[in-house]
Amino acid sequence: MTALEQLGWTPQWQATWDAAAVPAGAVPGRVVRVERLSYQLAAAGGTHEAVLPGGVRHKGQTEIPVIGDWTVAVRDAEDQPYRILSVLPRQTTFSRAVSGGGRVPAQQVMAANVDTVFVVTAPDEDFDLARLGRYVTAVRLSGAQPVVLLNKADLARDLRPYTAEAEALDVPVHAVQARAAGGLEALEPYLGTGQTVALIGSSGVGKSTLTNALLGRAATPTGEVRELDNQGRHTTTWRTLYPLPSGGLLIDNPGLRDIAIWDETGEAFARIEELAAQCRFSRCTHTSEPGCAVLRAMQRGEISEELLEEYREFTAPGRSAKGKRPKRAGGR
């Protein structure tokens, strides 16, 4: 395999490159590390420092390179960093909603071109089905496959209640013990050559320990959970893409307290309408009626209460949700 293929370069990416207006001397490079003012690009000749020209930096936020992006890059001399000219169209885009000024949310792209996202939680105080459902929804909207990992499986005397609740989200669920490398063989199908996996979850669930276990080396620092409130400390500061011994690629993200769902296309509203067709009453208002499939989905964490409130607003008499999109995100 070529160096680019090991980074996830496929015939589809090659076709995208061939169709793009690429300047002479430009090369494809994948973003493997993002810091405040600089990047690291992995290309055919190895890993290199890269910078973002001012003209690109002042474009829309969605055009700024993120971890996992494939870029068009050039450099003037071998001792100079690459200059990132543009980002190739993304195959998947993992985003969240952030404050954009006033009441209108903005999209923050966190990772790109990810095949599978491991949503990491633990069978302890961190386990929150509603929050887990928001993570899963955000992953689905990105175009990637969500997979829930119950790390620190040894903490629970009985994992079955946790597994059953997570499986209610209609996702694969795997119990693992990253510190002891237990259960990791179940993850092998997601880690094939050229496949990109990302880790998300709150601080303290063991993402950095899991990263080190999958890499087979201590690549990122790990921290202890505070005994007082069972909350973890942030040990991952920058987003980094690591090559795995299996041939896959792994993105370790800093911990998130929660996630506000970015739903640019209105797909979350479409999901509510699909659920509404399963309600007991044809004119269900999704407020307190028995047999309401939408309320059941909210209780399972598949949709948030805030998103349902906006759906009710858009489907009030005289209005239709079809073709609409949420005014703000569906997170907390």
Side-chain angles (χ1 to χ4, degrees):
M1 296 185 65
T2 67
L4 286 181
E5 288 173 333
Q6 291 173 346
L7 291 167
W9 190 258
T10 63
Q12 184 178 355
W13 281 116
Q14 186 63 51
T16 300
W17 178 268
D18 294 340
V22 177
V27 298
R30 193 166 194 193
V31 177
V32 296
R33 187 173 175 89
V34 179
E35 299 186 3
R36 283 194 180 92
L37 299 175
S38 65
Y39 296 83
Q40 286 187 2
L41 291 183
T47 301
H48 311 273
E49 296 293 325
V51 295
L52 201 60
V56 179
R57 189 175 297 279
H58 290 92
K59 290 184 177 182
Q61 197 278 336
T62 58
E63 298 180 56
I64 301 299
V66 299
I67 195 76
D69 263 327
W70 282 101
T71 67
V72 179
V74 297
R75 65 176 173 177
D76 301 321
E78 290 189 3
D79 60 345
Q80 297 293 315
Y82 274 94
R83 291 182 289 116
I84 299 175
L85 303 182
S86 61
V87 172
L88 293 181
R90 294 160 176 149
Q91 294 181 358
T92 65
T93 305
F94 182 67
S95 303
R96 65 175 175 177
V98 295
S99 175
R103 299 184 61 186
V104 180
Q107 180 185 13
Q108 181 188 39
V109 182
M110 301 173 65
N113 306 315
V114 175
D115 299 294
T116 305
V117 176
F118 289 156
V119 182
V120 187
T121 185
D124 57 12
E125 288 84 349
D126 179 80
F127 191 89
D128 183 326
L129 185 61
R131 183 182 62 199
L132 204 60
R134 288 190 288 276
Y135 281 137
V136 168
T137 297
V139 174
R140 284 180 171 142
L141 290 171
S142 78
Q145 177 189 9
V147 175
V148 171
L149 300 188
L150 283 172
N151 191 27
K152 305 182 182 180
D154 56 316
L155 294 180
R157 292 183 178 180
D158 187 358
L159 277 177
R160 289 175 296 181
Y162 297 97
T163 302
E165 289 194 41
E167 288 178 341
L169 299 174
D170 193 25
V171 294
V173 179
H174 300 287
V176 299
Q177 296 181 49
R179 190 178 295 275
L184 300 187
E185 64 280 355
L187 308 184
E188 293 176 0
Y190 310 105
L191 307 175
T193 300
Q195 295 293 300
T196 302
V197 171
L199 302 178
I200 62 169
S202 56
S203 299
V205 296
K207 298 189 306 301
S208 295
T209 303
L210 180 60
T211 295
N212 292 338
L214 292 173
L215 291 173
R217 60 187 176 89
T220 182
T222 60
E224 298 298 327
V225 173
R226 294 192 299 259
E227 293 184 4
L228 178 63
D229 55 7
N230 207 50
Q231 296 298 305
R233 298 179 177 88
H234 290 284
T235 56
T236 299
T237 305
W238 311 115
R239 293 181 173 90
T240 305
L241 185 151
Y242 300 98
L244 292 167
S246 64
L249 301 136
L250 175 68
I251 295 173
D252 186 16
N253 284 296
L256 299 173
R257 293 182 184 275
D258 206 330
I259 190 166
I261 298 169
W262 174 260
D263 185 20
E264 182 180 27
T265 63
E267 289 184 34
F269 275 13
R271 172 58 177 158
I272 291 177
E273 291 182 340
E274 291 176 3
L275 290 165
Q278 305 171 27
C279 292
R280 180 184 300 178
F281 303 108
S282 60
R283 295 187 179 182
C284 185
T285 63
H286 320 303
T287 54
S288 59
E289 295 90 342
C292 176
V294 176
L295 290 178
R296 286 200 302 269
M298 185 183 71
Q299 292 166 357
R300 293 194 300 266
E302 293 182 21
I303 59 176
S304 71
E305 183 177 357
E306 291 85 354
L307 183 64
L308 180 54
E309 288 177 359
E310 290 202 6
Y311 178 81
R312 294 189 188 113
E313 177 184 341
F314 278 107
T315 55
R319 302 192 66 172
S320 172
K322 295 185 182 299
K324 300 290 185 180
R325 67 179 63 172
K327 293 183 295 182
R328 61 183 187 275
R332 285 180 176 174

